């Protein structure tokens, strides 16, 4: 027995040494601007940098307890590393391309959405779907109210506070939120698109950063007040997933099947978006939910999708967070706009979203912390990338379907609301 233990420990030590050498090779090549082109180069650097920063963040006092630990260190640390002179500019461009047009973000989100929805109990999905929209509305109403009140106190009018700060923050990110919002407002006001964008983008960036930090704080709050959280389950007193982590199957064929299902569901959303004027993610979520509720998917395939979801979360999350930090997080832009008054206005919007979603979520039968994270912070962050960062910081990746509902369907609602408000007040 002792001999077997010694052999096992020796193998573990050898494995760690080999992995450390592999990581060193990748880092040296990246540092010397010798990173291979395409996916293999970008993913290799992202995995190693993400693992190192995640390891540091999860073991840094205060940061790991109150500010999201590894997730927030990976995002802001990678943004600094790849936008400074430490690595060549070509490397940040390659990582940005892989994350955006290379489809890494879409692949990750499709895997999480498919697996987490098919891994839910049907009863949970039915109950949550009927009660979740009021949570989003509560987040929007309270965030607007808080921002408007603070704006009046500091001498800002309705347009300067709600329309140019709260509305873009709650609008579903950049591509699906700020860009169409600028088009709507520029056509109905005397402000140019360039002026509007320069005013909205800092609010989005700072709001996204605050949402990530608050997500870590909410996770800590759940440890202090256990009755406020379901530790990743949205509905109070309900088991949400068909299997727990210890029962998840990691068979190679099962994982391959789960990956194929995730890809197929993304294809389905893409095809439907050609006929229905909705975002691909929103259509994918609705399609998977219908398949789940109607029982069309065999149980074994639901379990395969859930197993693939767990595999992706466990292995690719730090790498994607590096992509988010490099491609979507501009520290210079955040710091340039970070005046005390501007920060207070943005912070008020995010906190209003948390309070509104938490209170309405509690009334709807949800755990307030989970409701605040999905219905509040995932409305106030920067769309799909913000969803990943917020859920990683709060350690609740299984809530991705509800986060995406907030970003996509909630974001679309904000554009309709913006049109109405502009006609009414402007």
């Amino acid at each position: 027995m002792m001999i077997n233990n010694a052999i096992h420990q020796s193998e573990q030590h050898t494995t760690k040494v080999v992995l450390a050498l592999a990581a060193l090779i990748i880092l040296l090549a990246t540092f010397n601007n010798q990173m291979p082109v395409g996916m293999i180069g970008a993913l290799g650097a992202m995995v190693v940098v993400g693992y190192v920063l995640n390891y540091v963040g999860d073991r840094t006092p205060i940061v790991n307890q109150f500010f999201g630990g590894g997730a927030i260190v990976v995002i802001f640390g990678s943004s600094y590393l790849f936008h400074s002179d430490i690595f060549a500019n070509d490397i940040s461009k390659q990582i940005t391309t892989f994350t955006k047009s290379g489809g890494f973000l879409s692949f990750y989100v499709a895997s999480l959405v498919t697996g987490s929805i098919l891994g839910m109990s049907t009863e949970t999905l039915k109950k949550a779907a009927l009660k979740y929209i009021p949570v989003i509305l509560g987040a929007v109403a309270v965030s607007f109210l808080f921002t408007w009140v603070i704006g009046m106190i500091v001498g800002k009018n309705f347009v300067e506070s709600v329309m140019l700060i709260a509305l873009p923050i709650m609008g579903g990110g950049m591509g699906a939120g700020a860009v169409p919002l600028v088009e709507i407002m520029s056509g109905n006001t005397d402000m140019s698109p360039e002026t509007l964008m320069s005013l909205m983008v800092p609010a989005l960036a700072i709001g996204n950063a605050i949402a990530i930090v608050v997500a870590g704080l909410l996770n800590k709050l759940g440890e202090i007040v256990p009755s406020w959280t379901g530790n990743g389950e949205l509905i109070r007193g309900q088991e949400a997933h068909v299997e727990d982590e210890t029962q998840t199957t990691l068979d190679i064929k099962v994982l391959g099947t789960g990956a194929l299902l995730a890809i197929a569901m993304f294809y389905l959303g893409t095809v439907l978006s050609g006929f229905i004027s909705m975002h691909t993610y929103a259509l994918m979520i609705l399609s998977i939910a219908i398949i789940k509720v109607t029982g069309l998917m065999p149980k074994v395939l639901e379990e395969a999708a859930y197993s693939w979801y767990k595999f992706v979360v466990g292995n690719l999350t730090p790498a994607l967070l590096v992509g988010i930090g490099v491609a979507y997080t501009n520290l210079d832009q955040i710091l340039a706009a970070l005046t005390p008054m501007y920060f207070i206005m943005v912070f008020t919007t995010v906190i209003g979203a948390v309070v509104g979603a938490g209170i309405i979520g509690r009334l709807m039968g949800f755990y307030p912390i989970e409701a605040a994270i999905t219905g509040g912070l995932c409305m106030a962050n920067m769309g799909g990338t913000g969803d990943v960062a917020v859920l990683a910081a709060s350690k609740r990746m299984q809530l991705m379907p509800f986060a995406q509902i907030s970003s996509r369907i909630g974001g679309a609602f904000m554009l309709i609301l913006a049109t109405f408000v502009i006609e009414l007040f402007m």
Side-chain angles (χ1 to χ4, degrees):
M1 185 68 178
M2 292 179 63
I3 294 175
N4 289 337
N5 288 336
I7 293 174
H8 180 66
Q9 290 178 356
S10 176
E11 289 178 344
Q12 284 186 323
H13 177 73
T14 302
T15 299
K16 291 179 180 179
V17 170
V18 171
L19 291 176
L21 288 173
L24 182 61
I25 292 170
I26 293 173
L27 285 176
L28 288 174
T30 304
F31 184 78
N32 292 323
N33 199 20
Q34 295 176 310
M35 190 171 73
V37 297
M39 182 185 77
I40 190 170
L43 188 58
M46 292 163 71
V47 167
V48 173
V49 172
Y51 175 82
V52 172
L53 292 178
N54 190 66
Y55 184 89
V56 171
D58 282 343
R59 287 159 180 80
T60 302
I62 300 178
V63 173
N64 62 357
Q65 287 289 318
F66 299 99
F67 297 108
I72 199 165
V73 172
V74 174
I75 293 169
F76 294 110
S78 59
S79 178
Y80 172 76
L81 288 174
F82 287 98
H83 289 298
S84 63
D85 295 330
I86 297 175
F87 295 106
N89 190 46
D90 291 344
I91 296 173
S92 64
K93 290 180 179 178
Q94 191 168 332
I95 291 175
T96 299
T97 300
F98 175 61
T99 303
K100 289 183 174 180
S101 57
F104 185 39
L105 175 63
S106 296
F107 176 74
Y108 184 94
V109 172
S111 299
L112 263 64
V113 168
T114 303
S116 52
I117 292 179
L118 293 180
M120 284 183 182
S121 72
T122 303
E123 192 62 27
T124 296
L125 184 58
K126 289 178 180 178
K127 289 182 178 179
L130 294 174
K131 298 179 179 180
Y132 189 68
I133 298 301
V135 176
I136 294 176
L137 297 178
V140 172
V142 177
S143 69
F144 280 18
L145 177 62
F146 278 18
T147 308
W148 193 4
V149 170
I150 295 298
M152 288 190 294
I153 292 173
V154 300
K156 301 285 186 181
N157 59 35
F158 181 83
V159 173
E160 292 172 321
S161 58
V162 175
M163 297 300 293
L164 296 179
I165 293 180
L167 188 59
I169 289 174
M170 301 295 288
M174 183 66 72
V179 173
L181 187 59
V182 164
E183 294 178 1
I184 292 171
M185 292 186 66
S186 62
N188 292 274
T189 68
D190 56 359
M191 288 183 282
S192 68
E194 292 77 16
T195 300
L196 288 168
M197 189 63 76
S198 67
L199 293 170
M200 289 183 181
V201 169
L204 280 170
I206 297 172
N208 190 62
I210 292 174
I212 297 169
V213 174
V214 173
L217 293 174
L218 285 177
N219 179 57
K220 184 63 178 179
L221 180 61
E223 297 175 5
I224 298 173
V225 190
S227 62
W228 287 11
T229 180
N231 296 309
E233 309 299 350
L234 185 62
I235 298 179
R236 295 202 303 269
Q238 185 107 19
E239 292 295 328
H241 291 97
V242 292
E243 297 187 39
D244 61 31
E245 188 172 353
T246 59
Q247 296 172 318
T248 303
T249 304
L250 295 180
D251 179 83
I252 293 175
K253 290 184 178 180
V254 171
L255 292 177
T257 301
L260 180 60
L261 283 172
I263 294 170
M265 291 300 102
F266 187 80
Y267 265 71
L268 179 59
T270 303
V271 171
L272 291 175
S273 67
F275 303 96
I276 304 172
S277 182
M278 290 179 64
H279 195 283
T280 298
Y281 287 166
L283 291 169
M284 178 176 66
I285 292 169
L286 292 174
S287 300
I288 300 170
I290 292 171
I291 291 171
K292 174 67 180 180
V293 170
T294 55
L296 295 176
M297 189 71 71
K299 182 78 169 179
V300 64
L301 295 183
E302 290 184 350
E303 294 175 355
Y306 186 62
S307 295
W308 174 247
Y309 145 79
K310 298 297 291 183
F311 176 84
V312 169
V313 169
N315 292 280
L316 295 181
T317 299
L320 181 64
L321 293 177
V322 171
I324 292 172
V326 176
Y328 295 95
T329 308
N330 189 323
L331 293 179
D332 291 335
Q333 188 180 68
I334 293 174
L335 294 174
L338 202 56
T339 64
M341 193 56 62
Y342 197 86
F343 177 84
I344 290 171
M345 297 289 289
V346 174
F347 181 77
T348 299
T349 300
V350 176
I351 294 302
V354 168
V355 172
I359 292 174
I360 300 301
R362 176 75 180 183
L363 295 175
M364 291 290 105
F366 298 151
Y367 286 104
I369 287 180
E370 275 68 23
I373 290 170
T374 55
L377 295 180
C378 291
M379 280 291 288
N381 61 25
M382 198 175 282
T385 56
D387 292 342
V388 176
V390 163
L391 295 184
S394 63
K395 298 177 175 58
R396 286 164 171 79
M397 296 302 294
Q398 63 267 46
L399 294 173
M400 181 59 78
F402 300 103
Q404 285 293 301
I405 290 172
S406 296
S407 292
R408 304 307 167 188
I409 298 177
F413 165 75
M414 293 305 297
L415 296 180
I416 298 172
L417 179 63
T419 303
F420 173 76
V421 172
I422 289 170
E423 292 180 355
L424 189 63
F425 292 100
M426 301 178 67

